[in-house]
């Protein structure tokens, strides 16, 4: 934390009009003064921009604009310098090299945001939301990340912790100072309503976290079925491009084919799988095994059946296999003579159509919207927990509250009951980083990009 760090904060993949090299730390202004032609820079006020050249022993390297931000009103709460240079890879890297040679060190992934967290400017939940904002692939995901950054989700967690602290304080006073007659005597009967209230609010956050997962990562949708029922044609029709090879030869698709579309602003990650059947072909057999595994990890299964053929043993096995998963049965090739009775299919969600004139595709999308209530996501406030770490801790806190209520039913002494309530408070604190383990923080920020 005593080092001055630097990194390129813009994408380095292609040449662009502008690149930004960022530096943060106690020596940031002094290091910049060594390399900058504008000698008014070191005496200038905070939050100002200065024109000049980056120099390497009086040799001009690039024409730049340099922004100066003095602590504590900066992203990291340290002195920060940002160099806006031309977007060539060579010139940008040369400036970074000069900063390192002048006393800065290369930042680790996410170290700027890590410093913002460790210096108390943002909490852990807000820091993770910064990463979510950078990686967001839809407007809803962007809005959800902004809610995390702006602190509205933090306020929900803090409000729950304050209610728990108030309850713990009353319990502590009763345990440590039983002679205080002014205080309300805490009993199982007056703890229970408060626990119920806290549990109800936390349960709502946990239940809605599934929506947060959908908004952030999209839905993993797999198209499964026997060979030659039209899975690849359906994938191509949904994607509106020839992504998968389509022939009338069974077993054409031997490996998974993927593509993405947006539905109500939510990303649908579509996977066309190899046709599931018994086969002696070694390559096809590997594809079939992959298809079966994908069923287990998908958010939605679209089982494609050929309505021009009678249901086979494999069809019935697949229908049985997907019963416990969210699924839609798509009866393909309805432009041909029908040989399937709806009474044979035990599913609430059945769509009939074909990929020749694309009948049924609109209804299929409407079924997906209904199944995952995507219309409702457009009107929600987007205050969702968005990753496994946050959701797991919230579920642990919820379990602590459930255990406390169970102990009340068993008439467990108040001081023992307090342990579970304290643990719930602690787990909620871990979500926003009020308490944390150093190793966890290191691992978390390593997933960030270098310049953030």
């Amino acid at each position: 934390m005593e080092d001055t760090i630097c990194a390129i904060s813009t994408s380095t993949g292609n040449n662009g009009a502008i690149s930004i090299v960022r530096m943060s730390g106690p020596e940031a202004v002094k290091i910049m003064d060594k390399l900058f032609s504008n000698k008014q820079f070191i005496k200038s006020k905070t939050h100002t921009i200065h024109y000049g050249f980056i120099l390497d022993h009086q040799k001009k390297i690039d024409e730049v604009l340099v922004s100066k931000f003095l602590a504590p009103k900066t992203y990291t709460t340290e002195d920060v310098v940002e160099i806006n240079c031309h977007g060539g890879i060579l010139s940008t890297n040369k400036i970074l090299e000069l900063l390192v040679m002048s006393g800065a060190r290369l930042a680790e992934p996410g170290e700027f945001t890590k410093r913002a967290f460790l210096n108390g400017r943002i909490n852990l939940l807000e820091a993770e939301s910064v990463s979510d904002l950078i990686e967001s692939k839809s407007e809803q995901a962007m809005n959800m990340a902004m809610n995390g950054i702006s602190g509205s989700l933090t306020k929900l967690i803090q409000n729950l912790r304050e209610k728990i602290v108030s309850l713990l304080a009353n319990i502590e006073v009763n345990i440590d100072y039983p002679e205080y007659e002014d205080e309300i005597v805490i009993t199982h009967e007056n703890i229970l309503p408060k626990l119920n209230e806290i549990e109800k609010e936390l349960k709502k956050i946990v239940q809605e976290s599934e929506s947060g997962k959908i908004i952030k990562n999209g839905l993993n949708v797999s198209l499964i079925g026997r060979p030659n029922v039209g899975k690849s044609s359906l994938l191509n029709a949904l994607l509106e491009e020839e992504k998968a090879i389509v022939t009338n030869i069974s077993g054409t698709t031997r490996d998974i084919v993927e593509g993405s579309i947006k539905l109500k602003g939510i990303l649908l990650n579509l996977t066309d799988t190899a046709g599931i059947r018994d086969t002696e072909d070694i390559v096809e057999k590997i594809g079939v095994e992959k298809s079966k595994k994908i069923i287990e990890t998908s958010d939605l299964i679209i089982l494609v059946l050929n309505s021009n053929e009678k249901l086979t043993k494999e069809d019935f096995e697949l229908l049985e296999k997907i019963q416990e998963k969210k699924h839609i049965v798509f009866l393909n090739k309805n432009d041909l003579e029908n040989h399937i009775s709806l009474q044979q299919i035990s599913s609430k969600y059945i769509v009939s159509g074909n990929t020749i004139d694309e009948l049924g595709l609109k209804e299929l999308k409407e079924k997906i919207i209904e199944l995952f209530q995507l219309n409702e996501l457009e009107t929600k406030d987007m205050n969702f927990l968005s990753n496994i770490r946050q959701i797991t801790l919230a579920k642990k806190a919820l379990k602590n509250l459930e255990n406390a209520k169970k102990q009340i039913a068993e008439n467990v002494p108040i001081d023992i009951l307090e342990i579970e309530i304290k643990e719930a408070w602690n787990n909620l604190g871990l979500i926003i980083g009020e308490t944390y383990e150093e190793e966890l923080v290191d691992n978390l920020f390593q997933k960030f990009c270098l310049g953030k």
Side-chain angles (χ1 to χ4, degrees):
M1 294 290 288
E2 298 302 317
D3 293 345
T4 295
I5 58 174
C6 62
I8 299 170
S9 291
T10 44
S11 174
T12 56
N14 297 297
N15 287 340
I18 299 292
S19 287
I20 297 175
V21 182
R22 174 184 284 174
M23 185 164 47
S24 177
E27 299 297 314
V29 174
K30 288 182 181 179
I31 292 171
M32 191 67 244
D33 185 54
K34 293 178 189 177
L35 304 172
F36 198 24
S37 65
N38 188 334
K39 293 309 171 186
Q40 299 301 313
F41 173 77
I42 197 160
K43 301 174 185 176
S44 62
K45 294 180 180 179
T46 184
H47 292 70
T48 53
I49 300 176
H50 308 270
Y51 167 80
F53 293 88
I54 298 294
L55 304 175
D56 181 10
H57 298 96
Q58 304 306 313
K59 178 184 176 182
K60 291 180 179 179
I61 300 301
D62 199 0
E63 184 181 25
V64 298
L65 289 173
V66 178
S67 301
K68 177 182 179 180
F69 308 99
L70 297 180
K73 293 185 178 181
T74 70
Y75 184 71
T76 59
T77 76
E78 305 168 337
D79 288 352
V80 172
V81 170
E82 290 187 350
I83 305 165
N84 289 261
C85 57
H86 290 96
I89 294 171
L90 288 176
S91 59
T92 306
N93 283 337
K94 181 62 178 178
I95 291 171
L96 185 66
E97 179 187 330
L98 288 172
L99 294 180
V100 172
M101 290 172 63
S102 300
R105 71 161 170 84
L106 286 175
E108 297 171 358
E111 190 169 1
F112 291 94
T113 305
K114 181 180 178 180
R115 287 189 176 202
F117 164 65
L118 293 175
N119 288 331
R121 196 186 75 79
I122 59 175
N123 62 43
L124 204 53
L125 192 151
E126 291 165 346
E128 289 177 298
S129 296
V130 171
S131 179
D132 290 344
L133 181 64
I134 293 169
E135 296 174 2
S136 57
K137 297 185 177 80
S138 68
E139 189 173 344
Q140 282 92 332
M142 181 183 71
N143 292 339
M144 186 175 74
M146 280 306 303
N147 275 5
I149 292 170
S150 65
S152 54
L153 181 54
T154 296
K155 288 174 185 174
L156 288 178
I157 301 299
Q158 286 175 333
N159 182 50
L160 288 174
R161 294 188 86 224
E162 285 168 8
K163 289 180 179 180
I164 293 174
V165 160
S166 177
L167 181 57
L168 287 171
N170 288 332
I171 292 172
E172 290 283 354
V173 169
N174 273 254
I175 292 172
D176 295 339
Y177 305 101
E179 69 277 10
Y180 278 21
E181 296 179 0
D182 308 0
E183 291 295 325
I184 299 170
V185 177
I186 295 295
T187 64
H188 288 146
E189 287 71 25
N190 53 29
I191 288 178
L192 189 57
K194 294 179 181 179
L195 284 180
N196 283 334
E197 179 189 344
I198 296 166
E199 182 191 38
K200 182 181 177 181
E201 290 182 39
L202 182 55
K203 191 174 284 186
K204 183 175 183 286
I205 293 173
V206 170
Q207 287 171 343
E208 291 189 343
S209 65
E210 189 63 28
S211 297
K213 175 177 170 287
I214 291 172
I215 291 169
K216 181 181 176 183
N217 302 321
L219 290 169
N220 294 323
V221 182
S222 296
L223 281 61
I224 69 165
R226 289 187 295 108
N228 215 29
V229 293
K231 300 184 300 299
S232 298
S233 297
L234 181 57
L235 177 76
N236 290 340
L238 289 168
L239 295 177
E240 298 181 0
E241 64 172 298
E242 297 299 314
K243 186 85 172 183
I245 299 171
V246 178
T247 74
N248 59 1
I249 302 170
S250 295
T252 300
T253 305
R254 296 189 168 210
D255 203 350
I256 60 174
V257 181
E258 299 174 319
S260 297
I261 61 170
K262 282 185 181 175
L263 187 61
K264 291 291 180 181
I266 301 299
L267 202 65
L268 300 188
N269 305 307
L270 301 169
T271 302
D272 175 25
T273 63
I276 298 175
R277 65 172 176 179
D278 292 329
T279 177
E280 296 303 318
D281 186 298
I282 295 174
V283 177
E284 189 180 355
K285 188 177 286 187
I286 294 170
V288 170
E289 289 305 311
K290 275 188 179 182
S291 300
K292 291 178 179 177
K293 288 179 182 177
I294 285 171
I295 293 175
E296 304 303 322
T297 57
S298 297
D299 300 306
L300 172 66
I301 303 294
I302 298 177
L303 172 59
V304 183
L305 300 175
N306 182 357
S307 61
N308 186 235
E309 298 175 347
K310 291 183 178 180
L311 292 177
T312 66
K313 175 188 171 187
E314 286 91 348
D315 291 329
F316 283 114
E317 286 176 352
L318 288 172
L319 280 165
E320 181 66 28
K321 192 174 183 65
I322 65 172
Q323 286 307 307
E324 300 303 315
K325 301 280 294 183
K326 286 189 176 179
H327 68 273
I328 298 171
V329 177
F330 187 77
L331 298 178
N332 196 22
K333 306 184 184 182
N334 71 348
D335 52 324
L336 304 175
E337 186 179 351
N338 180 47
H339 291 285
I340 294 179
S341 168
L342 294 182
Q343 284 70 35
Q344 295 176 283
I345 303 171
S346 54
S347 176
K348 180 182 175 183
Y349 293 95
I350 303 173
V351 177
S352 179
N354 68 75
T355 56
I356 303 299
D357 46 23
E358 299 190 351
L359 284 175
L361 294 192
K362 182 180 178 182
E363 187 185 351
L364 178 61
K365 291 176 182 179
E366 287 171 352
K367 291 289 185 186
I368 297 173
I369 292 168
E370 179 187 346
L371 198 55
F372 289 92
Q373 300 177 323
L374 300 187
N375 279 328
E376 294 181 18
L377 292 184
E378 292 184 309
T379 59
K380 286 189 175 180
D381 57 9
M382 299 295 179
N383 283 321
F384 304 132
L385 301 173
S386 62
N387 63 42
I388 296 298
R389 185 193 73 85
Q390 296 168 6
I391 294 168
T392 299
L393 287 167
K395 286 181 177 178
K396 283 184 177 180
L398 194 58
K399 186 67 177 174
N400 294 137
L401 297 176
E402 290 169 356
N403 289 343
K405 287 173 63 178
K406 185 179 177 182
Q407 289 176 346
I408 288 174
E410 295 169 353
N411 208 31
V412 171
I414 299 275
D415 53 343
I416 302 299
L417 180 69
E418 183 189 19
I419 296 171
E420 288 287 354
I421 301 173
K422 269 187 179 176
E423 192 60 25
W425 178 80
N426 184 59
N427 280 322
L428 291 176
L430 288 169
I431 292 176
I432 56 178
E434 289 291 328
T435 54
Y436 63 90
E437 295 176 3
E438 190 173 337
E439 184 180 356
L440 166 72
V441 171
D442 289 342
N443 290 335
L444 189 151
F445 286 104
Q446 282 174 5
K447 298 172 185 176
F448 279 51
C449 54
L450 270 174
K452 200 63 185 176

